[in-house]
Amino acid sequence: MSGPFSRYRLAIIVALLLLAGIVVNAGLYYQQGSQDIRHGIVEQGLPLTGDTIFSEIDKSILRPLSVASLMANDTFLLDWLKEGERAPDRVARYLAAINGRYGITGSFLVSESTHRYYYAGGVLKTVSPADREDRWYFHSRQTKQAYDIALDEDMTNGGKTTLFINHRMLDGKGKLLGVIGVGLPQMELSAQLAAHEQRFQRRIYFIDQSGRIVLDSSGAAPRKLAEQPGLGDLASAILAGGAEPQKLEYSRDGNRYLLTSRLLPELGWHLLVEQNETRALQPLHAALQINLAINTAILLLVLIAVVATLQHHQLRMRQMATTDPLTGCLNRLAFMELLPGWLRACQRASAEPQLLMIDIDHFKQVNDKHGHQVGDQVLREIAELLRTQLRGGDLLIRWGGEEFVALVTSHGEDDALAERLRNIVARHVMNASGQALTITISIGLCQWLPPETLEAAVARADLALYAAKQGGRNRVCHAQPYHPLDEPIA
């Protein structure tokens, strides 16, 4: 890892650790939440819904079943059949009185001796084995059970699909006298299931012992459970189940469903209640996404704050490492780092590097006479004066003690800048502990041309500075022309 990554390695490692912690925490949160939701659905939601539906079915179907059982054992009807079915209007009034109770709309009686079909309006027809619409009767008369339940069209009620409860009527010796029953409109039962589905947000339906869906909220015709997507593999297990709820699950169209099944012995049907687990987990998904978004945003803000702090700290450290703390000028370390780039900029501008070696005249006397605090003030003010005259691309370095080096660009042996620097310092009056103080500088100027090394250029500028000092100070002296033989031996 190098470049900017090395500078922010710690921040990146911390961010990755925090991000890993957020992801692991979110994963554990989602896993625990999904387990809780699943447990709530399987252990509480579906069974409670099944119990509620069972209670409602007791009102909607089981009570009419009880009515059919009472009718089948009513002595008035049994005696009426035994006595030859005289005065059919009496039975019609009896059946009419049953209609309207507990949702019943199609009460009926079929006599075994005459095969007459009685309803609230009198005699509807005579049933016959040859008529397909009458096969239900001949099936009921042969069954060993006291009653059976079937979906059929109610010819006395406009041919509407109706759930019929057909109950056998027997005399004291067990002889079949007829079949009596009641009808419940399928659409009313389906509407009740639809209301329950809306209330519980779960699908509710019934299958008979042959594996057909005989009643659901859609009111559709019976259809095989084994042919329903996802449910086909569960059909055998559902039909083999008893009154104790079974807990099953299946997948369809990318969704996972949880299912409970229980047998209702009175009906001979299986009650199925299912819930879309995938949809139930959607609020948890949304909460997880919000949680991740919030934590990620917090992480980004923390990371930004950490990076900003590191940048500020690194900048501060770099400034301390590359800047003279007293004058604010570059130090020699910074100078050596910036020098290659500065030379390339000179080449692009077709300019020549010019090196100015600057020394404060009689600086030791200033320190001795006024003290080091005034000496520090002199260094700061002269450095600021020099900076005001330099251009943006020029470099000002505190070379050591009272010496400065300025690297500037020129187009020949031009000492105008050097003279301007000398003049502005000479004209400046400083306040040294309440006393006026004037300082001058001496400058050694050197044109630095390839292939001369920096060391050779500095040496020539230093000799020029020495000449300026010897010549009376407060002046600019040009260095001797460069000669390769003068290059110092390494």
Side-chain angles (χ1 to χ4, degrees):
M1 189 177 291
S2 60
F5 294 104
S6 62
R7 287 182 291 173
Y8 304 122
R9 181 179 302 169
L10 178 60
I12 293 174
I13 292 174
V14 171
L16 290 176
L17 290 175
L18 289 175
L19 182 60
I22 290 173
V23 172
V24 170
N25 180 67
L28 293 175
Y29 165 78
Y30 178 78
Q31 183 180 18
Q32 184 61 47
S34 60
Q35 288 177 353
D36 291 343
I37 291 176
R38 182 184 182 87
H39 182 271
I41 293 174
V42 174
E43 301 297 333
Q44 298 178 7
L46 297 181
L48 287 176
T49 302
D51 292 341
T52 302
I53 298 303
F54 182 83
S55 175
E56 294 297 327
I57 290 301
D58 179 60
K59 299 176 183 177
S60 302
I61 298 179
L62 299 186
R63 287 184 182 178
L65 175 60
S66 299
V67 171
S69 178
L70 291 174
M71 293 168 63
N73 293 282
D74 191 310
T75 56
F76 162 71
L77 295 176
L78 293 174
D79 291 342
W80 183 80
L81 288 172
K82 292 176 184 178
E83 293 172 359
E85 306 173 30
R86 291 177 295 180
D89 58 316
R90 298 173 61 194
V91 172
R93 290 195 302 271
Y94 180 95
L95 295 175
I98 298 297
N99 290 345
R101 296 184 180 184
Y102 310 115
I104 297 172
T105 60
S107 56
F108 66 91
L109 185 153
V110 179
S111 169
E112 172 64 15
S113 62
T114 64
H115 287 182
R116 291 175 183 169
Y117 186 110
Y118 296 94
Y119 76 113
V123 178
L124 177 66
K125 59 187 289 189
T126 299
V127 298
S128 169
D131 192 339
R132 295 185 60 182
E133 294 181 356
D134 300 334
R135 289 180 182 177
W136 66 269
Y137 172 74
F138 298 97
H139 169 76
S140 296
R141 66 196 293 266
Q142 295 176 359
T143 184
K144 296 180 180 180
Q145 298 177 347
Y147 63 89
D148 64 80
I149 299 175
L151 282 175
D152 205 346
E153 294 181 355
D154 185 359
M155 304 311 298
T156 67
N157 194 23
K160 293 181 180 179
T161 302
T162 302
L163 179 71
F164 285 104
I165 300 173
N166 307 315
H167 205 293
R168 289 157 52 89
M169 302 179 69
L170 305 175
D171 63 11
K173 298 179 180 181
K175 177 183 177 182
L176 180 68
L177 298 179
V179 174
I180 195 169
V182 295
L184 303 171
Q186 181 193 26
M187 292 309 298
E188 292 186 11
L189 296 174
S190 297
Q192 292 181 26
L193 291 183
H196 291 306
E197 288 183 347
Q198 180 68 25
R199 174 185 173 189
F200 296 108
Q201 293 299 300
R202 298 178 178 103
R203 185 185 176 201
I204 304 165
Y205 51 102
F206 295 86
I207 63 170
D208 62 16
Q209 293 292 356
S210 66
R212 298 184 308 158
I213 300 177
V214 292
L215 183 62
D216 63 6
S217 61
S218 69
R223 54 206 183 278
K224 293 182 178 180
L225 181 69
E227 296 176 353
Q228 303 305 305
L231 285 167
D233 296 337
L234 301 179
S236 299
I238 291 172
L239 292 174
E244 288 297 320
Q246 294 187 86
K247 301 168 186 177
L248 306 168
E249 58 185 67
Y250 71 95
S251 298
R252 182 180 73 238
D253 301 330
N255 292 293
R256 192 161 191 80
Y257 294 85
L258 301 177
L259 172 74
T260 58
S261 169
R262 65 193 298 180
L263 176 66
L264 304 181
E266 297 86 350
L267 299 180
W269 290 355
H270 292 267
L271 168 63
L272 278 67
V273 181
E274 70 175 42
Q275 182 164 354
N276 188 327
E277 182 188 21
T278 304
R279 185 179 301 166
L281 291 176
Q282 285 178 352
L284 183 62
H285 283 146
L288 177 64
Q289 292 173 355
I290 293 173
N291 181 274
L292 283 174
I294 293 174
N295 283 300
T296 302
I298 293 174
L299 174 60
L300 288 176
L301 291 175
V302 171
L303 184 59
I304 290 172
V306 170
V307 170
T309 303
L310 285 175
Q311 285 180 333
H312 176 75
H313 179 70
Q314 290 171 350
L315 180 61
R316 182 64 178 164
M317 294 295 292
R318 182 172 179 80
Q319 287 176 344
M320 293 175 62
T322 60
T323 305
D324 174 51
L326 178 62
T327 63
C329 297
L330 299 175
N331 59 21
R332 289 198 184 193
L333 175 63
F335 168 67
M336 297 307 297
E337 289 183 356
L338 296 174
L339 183 60
W342 186 83
L343 291 175
R344 288 192 296 271
C346 288
Q347 290 178 353
R348 289 194 298 269
S350 300
E352 297 177 0
Q354 192 177 76
L355 191 148
L356 284 67
M357 184 69 73
I358 305 168
D359 185 82
I360 301 175
D361 298 330
H362 303 297
F363 184 72
K364 184 176 183 302
Q365 295 178 12
V366 173
N367 276 333
D368 293 342
K369 182 179 180 180
H370 300 283
H372 288 285
Q373 288 186 349
V374 174
D376 290 346
Q377 177 187 347
V378 169
L379 289 170
R380 286 194 295 267
E381 292 195 23
I382 287 181
E384 184 61 29
L385 288 171
L386 296 177
R387 273 194 291 266
T388 61
Q389 301 304 307
L390 297 178
R391 292 164 298 223
D394 298 335
L395 302 179
L396 180 62
I397 305 101
R398 186 180 180 190
W399 201 250
E402 70 273 20
E403 284 189 338
F404 296 87
V405 168
L407 273 179
V408 300
T409 56
S410 68
H411 296 275
E413 299 272 349
D414 182 7
D415 61 359
L417 175 60
E419 286 292 346
R420 191 163 67 249
L421 294 176
R422 184 189 63 80
N423 284 327
I424 194 171
V425 173
R427 293 197 302 266
H428 182 68
V429 179
M430 301 180 187
N431 183 1
S433 300
Q435 299 179 14
L437 180 62
T438 301
I439 300 296
T440 61
I441 59 174
S442 299
I443 301 174
L445 186 150
C446 168
Q447 292 297 122
W448 181 17
L449 300 174
E452 185 180 15
T453 63
L454 174 64
E455 289 80 1
V458 170
R460 288 196 302 118
D462 199 47
L463 288 174
L465 176 62
Y466 181 76
K469 293 282 190 180
Q470 292 297 315
R473 294 183 173 82
N474 190 22
R475 65 185 60 216
V476 176
C477 284
H478 288 262
Q480 294 296 321
Y482 167 72
H483 194 281
L485 296 178
D486 297 332
E487 188 81 24
I489 299 175

